[in-house]
Amino acid sequence: MLKDLRNIGIIAHIDAGKTTTTERILYYTGLTHKMGETHKGDSVMDFLPYEKERGITVASAATRCIWKGTAINIIDTPGHVDFTAEVERSLRILDGVAVIFCAKGGVEPQSETVWRQADRYSTPRIAYINKMDAVGADFFRVVGQIETRLGATPLILTLPVFEGDDFVGIIDLITLKYYTFGGKLGNEVQEFDIPAEQQDEVDKWRLNLVEQLAQENEELLELYYDNKPLPADMLLATIRACTLQNMLVPVICGSSYRNIGVQVLLDAIVNYLPSPLDVKPATAINVDTNEDFEIEPDADKDLAALIFKIVTDRHVGKLAFARVYSGTLKAGTYVLNSTKGKKERIGRLVKMHANHREETEEVQAGDIVAIIGLKDVGTGDTLSSDNNPIWLESISFPEPVIQIAIEPKTQSDQHKLSEALARIAGEDPTFKISYNKETGQTLISGMGELHLEIVSERLAKEFGVDFNIGQPQVAYKETITRSAEHTTRYVKQTGGKGQFAHVVLRLEPAEGFEFVNKIIGGAIPREYIPAVEAGVKQALEEGVIKGYPVVNVRATLLDGSYHEVDSSELAFKSAGMLAARECLKMAGPQLLEPIMKLEITSPEEFTGNIINNISNRRGKLESMEMENSTQVIKGCVPLAELFGYSTVLRSLTQGRAGFSMEFSHYEQRTAAS
């Protein structure tokens, strides 16, 4: 039943304990019989060789488990900023998320990034403050940061209990019981009365909990004012309703590594996060009528499924991960890839448990599955019924900000390299391949140095390619600063039929790309207009300054003419491309560079050195604040100035400072810089 299904993600800053928590979930739900550990390289969810070596999650992994009669599809996502696209595509198809925070590190930059991603999809979430056993852990400080930094309204449901400096258990503010997690692996949950020394603290936060909930439930408010007992099921129902509406964020605490509190997290997932029936229905567009409509999660309706991830498996070939929003997906049947307009056969359907597969004959609305057998399919494609073709909203990904040149060591490696790069690009929408005509180089682009390191590692170990790579370079873009018009006549006579096209084109600055057709009276036949647009887009692939892609342009087709015999789509595409190139030269072309958001934590005595260094790197200081006698410095710095920054920062601070960075935006690079 759909009400007993949860599609959830585990998201967090790097090293907050996502994979460790997921490993405990798998163990306590009976899916595994051994707890894998990230630092030992034996975790179930981090199964890729480069994940095991580095002890970090690089690719999102899916699994399924059962807790108290509820099926939970879990996607464990990476925490490193270079792999934020994995979080993006997971959130697109998930119904709820558990956000994990480190009790010591608190709300870190990547925590803010993934939270904003969840905001974008209005995804209900619960917060799990992990690592309560760590030196310097501060539960209430992190709760405060969730409120101030993330703009959320936290609702504390559990309190940590310490014996001396040791974290030993939690108090549940709903049941008003104290829980410990005994046995070798924390699977013996024991219930006790609240210790007397904790009672005042419990009374304070229980009152806070009730007052927050009473504002949202009149019946609860009446019971509270009449000083009557508050039924636990009423409290649970109110918390759930507020969570589903993103009004409140339930907060619980624990230490996954010490096996404390994970069962309570599982209860929270089941009790408070939505089923497919609780979320807003997905919106689709009818291919034939172009009208929007909502899709109900009904197994008996027409098929609607979204491909959100592609993985190449050496045993079965291409695995396409899909969320089924409507209808039923059956093995051996034909479906329409409405994005590409092609019919495809569903070979096999498998439920994934990390890198293990469990075959199934069909999957109904609301569920997640991996499909074997699809040939021409990509991330963001929609699968639908042939008799009712629809499009689901695709997934948008950030543009790569860093690139390196790559070449095969020998001629024999050329084909292997091209094939391997194409396969990786098919899996990863943030990995791009391009060719520089001026230098003859193949360039690969990604989200950061670690991203490209992982790609290089895969090429060598997984695909067995010998290659050379250059130094990392910034992936600049180009834009225009003023309007420009150009008239182009494309005339070609080659003995037989000639080529003729005449266009008048204007380019001007805009947000994103827009093509406007102002042709009236049939000056250019309607069937040639898309060809002009295609030509313009081709011209924008290489700018006139350094050959970088051109962005933020509105192209307006103002006028033109055609020849009844000699005009063709090819002629108008060529004319559109030539006109756009001439416009680019006249429109004040400008180089854009990626700007990174930088956050540095350092002892206070090094603050001056750090700020001076940021200024010398063309950076802008945004804020400074003290946290636990540590200075937190935030600013924006061009990516071009940050290569090798970790070494510089160590030198400036005697190795005592740390930093994180993530892409912020593109901005014009001045001639002086």
Side-chain angles (χ1 to χ4, degrees):
M1 292 178 64
L2 281 181
K3 72 177 183 65
D4 296 323
L5 175 65
R6 302 289 182 271
N7 295 312
I8 69 127
I10 309 285
I11 62 176
H13 187 280
I14 192 169
D15 205 31
K18 293 181 311 305
T19 302
T20 301
T21 302
T22 309
E23 293 293 319
R24 270 61 182 170
I25 287 173
L26 301 184
Y27 177 78
Y28 295 133
T29 57
L31 202 58
T32 59
H33 303 290
K34 172 179 175 289
M35 288 181 184
E37 302 292 355
T38 306
H39 62 277
K40 293 181 180 177
D42 63 354
S43 63
V44 173
M45 301 302 279
D46 286 347
F47 58 88
L48 297 168
Y50 35 91
E51 292 181 319
K52 291 180 180 293
E53 287 171 15
R54 285 178 165 79
I56 61 170
T57 304
V58 169
S60 54
T63 191
R64 185 182 179 93
C65 57
I66 307 289
W67 181 251
K68 297 183 177 178
T70 296
I72 308 173
N73 287 321
I74 299 174
I75 295 182
D76 178 26
T77 65
H80 196 284
V81 66
D82 282 17
F83 308 103
T84 190
E86 291 285 329
V87 182
E88 187 73 31
R89 60 176 158 197
S90 299
L91 284 169
R92 169 66 181 82
I93 56 92
L94 293 170
D95 299 326
V97 291
V99 188
I100 300 183
F101 300 93
C102 171
K104 182 180 179 182
V107 175
E108 300 190 62
Q110 185 63 5
S111 312
E112 295 184 51
T113 300
V114 297
W115 193 274
R116 286 196 301 272
Q117 287 174 295
D119 278 341
R120 195 154 54 244
Y121 295 105
S122 300
T123 310
R125 64 214 82 163
I126 56 176
Y128 174 62
I129 299 177
N130 189 27
K131 300 190 177 184
M132 287 302 307
D133 60 312
V135 176
D138 189 333
F139 176 71
F140 294 106
R141 178 175 65 87
V142 182
V143 172
Q145 289 178 341
I146 291 172
E147 185 169 16
T148 56
R149 291 193 182 183
L150 303 178
T153 305
L155 180 71
I156 295 174
L157 300 185
T158 66
L159 297 175
V161 179
F162 294 88
E163 288 182 0
D165 293 331
D166 295 331
F167 176 54
V168 293
I170 61 173
I171 290 171
D172 188 321
L173 294 175
I174 304 292
T175 62
L176 294 175
K177 294 291 183 182
Y178 166 43
Y179 295 99
T180 63
F181 302 81
K184 189 177 178 182
L185 297 172
N187 47 358
E188 296 176 9
V189 183
Q190 295 178 299
E191 181 184 298
F192 301 96
D193 290 332
I194 295 167
E197 62 272 19
Q198 297 275 157
Q199 194 62 56
D200 288 347
E201 184 83 350
V202 170
D203 290 344
K204 171 188 165 184
W205 289 105
R206 168 72 174 195
L207 181 62
N208 182 74
L209 168 79
V210 171
E211 286 180 344
Q212 279 185 274
L213 294 178
Q215 294 176 37
E216 312 300 336
N217 185 319
E218 287 187 11
E219 191 178 350
L220 198 61
L221 185 63
E222 286 180 18
L223 291 172
Y224 171 60
Y225 275 130
D226 294 340
N227 208 22
K228 293 181 178 178
L230 305 175
D233 58 348
M234 188 182 292
L235 293 173
L236 289 172
T238 308
I239 296 169
R240 179 175 180 82
C242 292
T243 305
L244 297 185
Q245 295 172 54
N246 280 307
M247 296 164 63
L248 297 172
V249 177
V251 181
I252 55 178
C253 61
S255 168
S256 298
Y257 184 62
R258 300 295 177 192
N259 307 317
I260 299 175
V262 176
Q263 294 95 325
V264 178
L265 172 62
L266 276 164
D267 286 341
I269 289 169
V270 170
N271 289 336
Y272 310 128
L273 289 182
S275 75
L277 296 172
D278 298 317
V279 294
K280 185 182 174 187
T283 301
I285 299 172
N286 186 294
V287 173
D288 298 326
T289 65
N290 217 33
E291 292 178 352
D292 293 1
F293 65 99
E294 289 187 340
I295 299 175
E296 299 292 338
D298 188 336
D300 297 325
K301 296 288 179 64
D302 286 323
L303 176 68
L306 183 72
I307 305 295
F308 67 93
K309 183 178 172 77
I310 301 291
V311 174
T312 303
D313 187 284
R314 59 179 179 161
H315 300 296
V316 300
K318 189 179 282 186
L319 270 172
F321 286 75
R323 163 74 186 260
V324 183
Y325 286 94
S326 174
T328 301
L329 203 56
K330 296 182 179 180
T333 59
Y334 283 86
V335 298
L336 177 69
N337 181 337
S338 49
T339 306
K340 293 190 169 65
K342 294 181 178 179
K343 276 188 136 180
E344 291 256 26
R345 185 178 180 275
I346 304 293
R348 294 151 58 198
L349 297 173
V350 292
K351 297 288 182 71
M352 297 299 295
H353 173 48
N355 61 335
H356 301 291
R357 297 179 295 273
E358 178 189 330
E359 291 218 23
T360 184
E361 286 303 307
E362 65 174 46
V363 175
Q364 296 187 342
D367 218 336
I368 294 170
V369 72
I371 307 168
I372 300 170
L374 300 179
K375 291 181 172 61
D376 187 13
V377 67
T379 301
D381 286 0
T382 298
L383 303 181
S384 65
S385 305
D386 194 26
N387 62 336
N388 186 22
I390 62 160
W391 293 314
L392 290 163
E393 184 187 351
S394 191
I395 311 169
S396 58
F397 295 101
E399 288 292 314
V401 295
I402 191 169
Q403 61 187 23
I404 54 174
I406 187 167
E407 61 181 21
K409 279 189 177 179
T410 65
Q411 196 62 39
S412 62
D413 280 308
Q414 180 65 61
H415 179 69
K416 280 171 67 178
L417 177 63
S418 300
E419 197 175 70
L421 289 175
R423 281 177 59 180
I424 294 171
E427 296 177 12
D428 183 354
T430 59
F431 175 73
K432 306 289 185 187
I433 312 160
S434 58
Y435 184 72
N436 190 314
K437 290 178 184 175
E438 290 182 11
T439 63
Q441 289 179 312
T442 298
L443 300 172
I444 57 174
S445 308
M447 299 305 296
E449 291 179 85
L450 178 61
H451 187 189
L452 294 181
E453 274 179 35
I454 296 291
V455 169
S456 301
E457 218 171 283
R458 288 189 65 187
L459 289 171
K461 294 181 178 178
E462 191 177 323
F463 297 97
V465 181
D466 286 327
F467 58 92
N468 296 316
I469 57 173
Q471 290 298 310
Q473 302 170 334
V474 176
Y476 292 98
K477 293 185 185 298
E478 296 182 26
T479 192
I480 57 176
T481 56
R482 59 177 179 263
S483 176
E485 281 183 29
H486 194 267
T487 300
T488 296
R489 288 180 179 272
Y490 182 77
V491 184
K492 217 168 181 182
Q493 200 65 45
T494 54
K497 183 183 174 184
Q499 294 285 346
F500 177 87
H502 166 218
V503 300
V504 181
L505 188 75
R506 180 174 69 226
L507 296 188
E508 58 192 323
E511 285 292 320
F513 172 77
E514 185 184 357
F515 183 83
V516 181
N517 175 25
K518 288 198 172 180
I519 297 296
I520 55 173
I524 299 175
R526 202 180 331 172
E527 61 265 29
Y528 295 146
I529 304 298
V532 178
E533 182 177 357
V536 172
K537 285 181 175 177
Q538 188 172 332
L540 297 181
E541 287 175 4
E542 291 185 14
V544 294
I545 304 175
K546 298 277 189 180
Y548 294 109
V550 184
V551 297
N552 298 336
V553 173
R554 179 184 296 113
T556 305
L557 182 58
L558 299 167
D559 200 2
S561 62
Y562 74 105
H563 190 279
E564 288 186 0
V565 177
D566 291 346
S567 288
S568 65
E569 286 187 9
L570 179 62
F572 274 97
K573 182 180 179 182
S574 299
M577 182 176 66
L578 293 169
R581 282 180 178 170
E582 291 302 317
C583 285
L584 286 174
K585 294 174 186 175
M586 301 184 292
Q590 179 73 55
L591 209 58
L592 296 175
E593 64 177 339
I595 307 297
M596 308 302 286
K597 190 182 291 182
L598 193 64
E599 180 166 318
I600 303 161
T601 54
S602 166
E604 192 176 9
E605 62 259 37
F606 303 112
T607 301
N609 290 344
I610 293 169
I611 291 171
N612 287 336
N613 189 261
I614 289 175
S615 179
N616 292 337
R617 292 170 183 270
R618 299 189 288 123
K620 297 174 185 172
L621 188 67
E622 289 192 333
S623 69
M624 292 170 51
E625 56 186 77
M626 289 292 294
E627 286 189 3
N628 291 343
S629 68
T630 298
Q631 191 77 54
V632 180
I633 302 165
K634 295 182 180 180
C636 285
V637 183
L639 175 61
E641 306 289 345
L642 290 173
F643 291 118
Y645 186 66
S646 56
T647 305
V648 172
L649 188 63
R650 279 198 298 272
S651 172
L652 286 173
T653 62
Q654 301 171 12
R656 295 170 65 191
F659 80 101
S660 63
M661 66 175 178
E662 62 177 322
F663 172 72
S664 175
H665 62 281
Y666 273 90
E667 81 177 28
Q668 291 187 12
R669 179 171 179 139
T670 60
S673 61

Short mmCIF file of all heavy atoms in Angstrom, two decimals, residues 29-53:
data_model
loop_
_atom_site.label_atom_id
_atom_site.label_comp_id
_atom_site.label_asym_id
_atom_site.label_seq_id
_atom_site.Cartn_x
_atom_site.Cartn_y
_atom_site.Cartn_z
N THR A 29 17.11 -2.88 10.35
CA THR A 29 15.93 -3.33 9.61
C THR A 29 16.08 -4.76 9.11
O THR A 29 15.19 -5.29 8.43
CB THR A 29 15.64 -2.41 8.41
OG1 THR A 29 16.78 -2.34 7.56
CG2 THR A 29 15.26 -1.01 8.88
N GLY A 30 17.22 -5.39 9.42
CA GLY A 30 17.42 -6.80 9.06
C GLY A 30 17.89 -7.04 7.65
O GLY A 30 17.95 -8.19 7.19
N LEU A 31 18.25 -5.97 6.94
CA LEU A 31 18.67 -6.14 5.55
C LEU A 31 20.11 -6.64 5.46
O LEU A 31 20.47 -7.34 4.52
CB LEU A 31 18.53 -4.81 4.80
CG LEU A 31 18.43 -4.89 3.28
CD1 LEU A 31 17.25 -5.74 2.84
CD2 LEU A 31 18.32 -3.50 2.68
N THR A 32 20.93 -6.27 6.42
CA THR A 32 22.29 -6.79 6.48
C THR A 32 22.52 -7.41 7.85
O THR A 32 21.79 -7.14 8.81
CB THR A 32 23.34 -5.67 6.25
OG1 THR A 32 23.15 -4.65 7.26
CG2 THR A 32 23.18 -5.06 4.87
N HIS A 33 23.54 -8.21 7.94
CA HIS A 33 23.86 -8.89 9.20
C HIS A 33 25.18 -8.42 9.79
O HIS A 33 25.70 -8.99 10.74
CB HIS A 33 23.89 -10.41 8.98
CG HIS A 33 22.62 -10.94 8.42
ND1 HIS A 33 21.45 -11.00 9.15
CD2 HIS A 33 22.30 -11.38 7.17
CE1 HIS A 33 20.48 -11.47 8.39
NE2 HIS A 33 20.97 -11.71 7.19
N LYS A 34 25.72 -7.36 9.18
CA LYS A 34 26.99 -6.81 9.64
C LYS A 34 26.99 -5.32 9.33
O LYS A 34 26.52 -4.89 8.29
CB LYS A 34 28.14 -7.51 8.90
CG LYS A 34 29.50 -6.95 9.10
CD LYS A 34 30.52 -7.77 8.33
CE LYS A 34 31.91 -7.14 8.43
NZ LYS A 34 32.08 -5.91 7.71
N MET A 35 27.49 -4.53 10.25
CA MET A 35 27.58 -3.09 10.02
C MET A 35 28.87 -2.76 9.29
O MET A 35 29.97 -3.00 9.80
CB MET A 35 27.55 -2.33 11.35
CG MET A 35 26.21 -2.32 12.04
SD MET A 35 26.32 -1.37 13.56
CE MET A 35 24.67 -1.60 14.25
N GLY A 36 28.73 -2.23 8.10
CA GLY A 36 29.90 -1.77 7.38
C GLY A 36 30.36 -0.43 7.92
O GLY A 36 29.56 0.36 8.42
N GLU A 37 31.66 -0.15 7.82
CA GLU A 37 32.21 1.12 8.30
C GLU A 37 32.93 1.82 7.16
O GLU A 37 33.74 1.22 6.45
CB GLU A 37 33.19 0.90 9.47
CG GLU A 37 32.58 0.18 10.68
CD GLU A 37 31.52 1.00 11.40
OE1 GLU A 37 31.31 2.18 11.03
OE2 GLU A 37 30.92 0.48 12.36
N THR A 38 32.65 3.12 6.99
CA THR A 38 33.28 3.90 5.93
C THR A 38 34.79 3.89 6.05
O THR A 38 35.51 3.70 5.07
CB THR A 38 32.76 5.35 5.98
OG1 THR A 38 31.34 5.34 5.93
CG2 THR A 38 33.29 6.16 4.81
N HIS A 39 35.29 4.08 7.29
CA HIS A 39 36.75 4.19 7.46
C HIS A 39 37.46 2.86 7.24
O HIS A 39 38.68 2.84 7.02
CB HIS A 39 37.08 4.74 8.86
CG HIS A 39 36.61 3.86 10.00
ND1 HIS A 39 35.32 3.91 10.46
CD2 HIS A 39 37.26 2.92 10.74
CE1 HIS A 39 35.20 3.04 11.45
NE2 HIS A 39 36.36 2.42 11.64
N LYS A 40 36.72 1.74 7.28
CA LYS A 40 37.32 0.44 7.00
C LYS A 40 37.17 0.03 5.54
O LYS A 40 37.72 -0.98 5.10
CB LYS A 40 36.69 -0.64 7.89
CG LYS A 40 36.99 -0.49 9.37
CD LYS A 40 36.33 -1.62 10.15
CE LYS A 40 36.61 -1.49 11.65
NZ LYS A 40 35.89 -2.55 12.43
N GLY A 41 36.37 0.82 4.79
CA GLY A 41 36.16 0.53 3.38
C GLY A 41 35.26 -0.66 3.12
O GLY A 41 35.31 -1.28 2.05
N ASP A 42 34.42 -1.03 4.10
CA ASP A 42 33.55 -2.19 3.91
C ASP A 42 32.06 -1.83 4.01
O ASP A 42 31.23 -2.71 4.27
CB ASP A 42 33.90 -3.31 4.91
CG ASP A 42 33.67 -2.91 6.37
OD1 ASP A 42 33.35 -1.71 6.63
OD2 ASP A 42 33.81 -3.78 7.26
N SER A 43 31.71 -0.57 3.83
CA SER A 43 30.31 -0.18 3.89
C SER A 43 29.58 -0.68 2.65
O SER A 43 30.14 -0.74 1.55
CB SER A 43 30.16 1.34 4.01
OG SER A 43 30.68 1.99 2.88
N VAL A 44 28.33 -1.05 2.84
CA VAL A 44 27.52 -1.59 1.75
C VAL A 44 27.22 -0.51 0.71
O VAL A 44 27.29 -0.73 -0.49
CB VAL A 44 26.20 -2.17 2.30
CG1 VAL A 44 25.26 -2.57 1.16
CG2 VAL A 44 26.48 -3.37 3.19
N MET A 45 26.92 0.69 1.17
CA MET A 45 26.46 1.75 0.28
C MET A 45 27.60 2.42 -0.50
O MET A 45 27.40 2.88 -1.61
CB MET A 45 25.67 2.80 1.06
CG MET A 45 24.44 2.24 1.78
SD MET A 45 23.24 1.45 0.71
CE MET A 45 22.36 2.89 0.07
N ASP A 46 28.79 2.50 0.09
CA ASP A 46 29.94 3.02 -0.64
C ASP A 46 30.69 1.84 -1.24
O ASP A 46 31.73 1.39 -0.74
CB ASP A 46 30.87 3.83 0.28
CG ASP A 46 30.29 5.18 0.64
OD1 ASP A 46 29.31 5.60 0.01
OD2 ASP A 46 30.81 5.83 1.58
N PHE A 47 30.18 1.32 -2.34
CA PHE A 47 30.71 0.07 -2.90
C PHE A 47 31.69 0.29 -4.04
O PHE A 47 32.38 -0.63 -4.45
CB PHE A 47 29.56 -0.82 -3.39
CG PHE A 47 28.67 -0.18 -4.42
CD1 PHE A 47 28.96 -0.25 -5.77
CD2 PHE A 47 27.54 0.50 -4.03
CE1 PHE A 47 28.14 0.35 -6.71
CE2 PHE A 47 26.70 1.11 -4.97
CZ PHE A 47 27.01 1.03 -6.30
N LEU A 48 31.77 1.52 -4.57
CA LEU A 48 32.69 1.78 -5.68
C LEU A 48 34.12 1.83 -5.17
O LEU A 48 34.37 2.31 -4.05
CB LEU A 48 32.32 3.10 -6.37
CG LEU A 48 30.93 3.12 -7.02
CD1 LEU A 48 30.54 4.54 -7.40
CD2 LEU A 48 30.87 2.20 -8.22
N PRO A 49 35.10 1.36 -5.96
CA PRO A 49 36.49 1.30 -5.49
C PRO A 49 37.01 2.65 -5.01
O PRO A 49 37.68 2.74 -3.98
CB PRO A 49 37.27 0.82 -6.73
CG PRO A 49 36.25 0.14 -7.59
CD PRO A 49 34.95 0.81 -7.33
N TYR A 50 36.72 3.74 -5.76
CA TYR A 50 37.24 5.05 -5.37
C TYR A 50 36.52 5.60 -4.13
O TYR A 50 37.06 6.45 -3.44
CB TYR A 50 37.17 6.05 -6.53
CG TYR A 50 35.97 5.91 -7.44
CD1 TYR A 50 34.80 6.61 -7.19
CD2 TYR A 50 36.03 5.11 -8.57
CE1 TYR A 50 33.70 6.49 -8.01
CE2 TYR A 50 34.91 4.99 -9.41
CZ TYR A 50 33.77 5.67 -9.13
OH TYR A 50 32.67 5.56 -9.95
N GLU A 51 35.31 5.11 -3.84
CA GLU A 51 34.64 5.48 -2.59
C GLU A 51 35.30 4.78 -1.41
O GLU A 51 35.52 5.37 -0.36
CB GLU A 51 33.16 5.12 -2.66
CG GLU A 51 32.37 5.95 -3.65
CD GLU A 51 30.89 5.58 -3.69
OE1 GLU A 51 30.59 4.37 -3.64
OE2 GLU A 51 30.04 6.49 -3.81
N LYS A 52 35.63 3.51 -1.60
CA LYS A 52 36.28 2.75 -0.53
C LYS A 52 37.66 3.33 -0.20
O LYS A 52 38.05 3.43 0.96
CB LYS A 52 36.41 1.28 -0.94
CG LYS A 52 35.09 0.53 -1.01
CD LYS A 52 35.32 -0.91 -1.43
CE LYS A 52 34.02 -1.71 -1.52
NZ LYS A 52 33.38 -1.90 -0.20
N GLU A 53 38.41 3.70 -1.25
CA GLU A 53 39.76 4.23 -1.04
C GLU A 53 39.74 5.55 -0.29
O GLU A 53 40.55 5.81 0.58
CB GLU A 53 40.46 4.40 -2.39
CG GLU A 53 40.90 3.09 -3.03
CD GLU A 53 41.39 3.27 -4.45
OE1 GLU A 53 41.66 4.43 -4.84
OE2 GLU A 53 41.51 2.26 -5.18
#
